[in-house]
Structures are given as structure tokens and as C-alpha cells.
Amino acid sequence: ACACMPPAQDHKRAWDGDRGPNTGGMGAYAPSPQISAAELATAEEMMRAAVRGLQEEGRPFVGCLYGGFMLTADGPKLLEFNARFGDPETQAVLPLLESDCFEVMRACATGRLAALPPLRWADAVAA
């Protein structure tokens, strides 16, 4: 099972106007307004396909799989996977989670995510 979180965007560059040295992330906001509904659906399907592929290969993934995406003129491109939450994006995404965070994390860790009701997210923004 796979449950996607709202998209978040971090701030990589040190100065305004996307200029300056790359900092690795100086904060984030969610949900990101830069991604369209169609692009988000594509990115979510890419994550589901990765989880399905691991399952089909006999290597089911259990836990949190963070996909790092970049939006391009050709649509979202998946640049990286991390078997952890993204930082600082998590600091903006988790406050939006209305479902019981402990229950969600326990279900992820025990492979029971599909047994939970759909995750509930606040209709709000966080940074």
C-alpha cells in the first residue's frame, strides 16, 4: 500500500531570486502551488509504481519512502528516493496531517497501511 503526502517545496538557494550557493534546504512550505493536479497525479503514480515494483520483485518496502521530484517542461521527474522523511519538507507536511500520526506510522512499520481509512489532510498551508 502507498499513501502519498501533500507536495512540499524547500528553499535551496541562499539568496532571493533563486540565486546564491545551494544550502541543501532552508525551510519549506506545503502544499506546493507549483504543481498542477495532473502533475501531482503523475508523481503519485510514479511512487505507487515503485512500491508495486519492489513488491513484485519480492522486496516489499515497509516504512516511509520519500520521493524527491523536480518539475520540468516534460512533467515531474523523480530524482531520488530516501527511506526516510525529507527534511525540511516534513516540518511543513506533518502539521497538515489530521489523521492520527502514531497510527499511520505504526501501520507503515507493520505493513498494515492498506487497512487504515484514507489519510485526512487539513485544507491549509504550513511552512
Side-chain angles (χ1 to χ4, degrees), residues 3-9 29-32 35 40 44 66 89 92-94 96-97 119-122 124:
C4 295
M5 297 182 195
Q9 178 161 348
Y29 55 92
S32 175
I35 189 167
L40 182 57
E44 289 178 349
Y66 170 82
E89 296 87 355
V93 171
L94 282 185
L96 300 175
L97 180 63
L119 300 186
R120 293 183 330 277
W121 297 97

Side-chain angles (χ1 to χ4, degrees), residues 47-124:
M47 292 300 293
R48 287 186 186 92
V51 171
R52 269 192 317 272
L54 289 168
Q55 177 74 31
E56 290 167 3
E57 292 177 359
R59 297 182 285 205
F61 184 84
V62 176
C64 178
L65 185 63
Y66 170 82
F69 288 86
M70 179 177 285
L71 294 179
T72 73
D74 296 322
K77 302 295 180 190
L78 181 56
L79 301 179
E80 65 180 348
F81 283 116
N82 290 299
R84 60 168 175 74
F85 283 113
D87 181 47
E89 296 87 355
T90 303
Q91 296 173 33
V93 171
L94 282 185
L96 300 175
L97 180 63
E98 292 182 336
S99 299
D100 184 312
C101 188
F102 174 77
E103 291 301 326
V104 173
M105 298 304 150
R106 181 167 64 171
C108 287
T110 59
R112 298 180 310 102
L113 185 60
L116 292 184
L119 300 186
R120 293 183 330 277
W121 297 97
D123 184 19

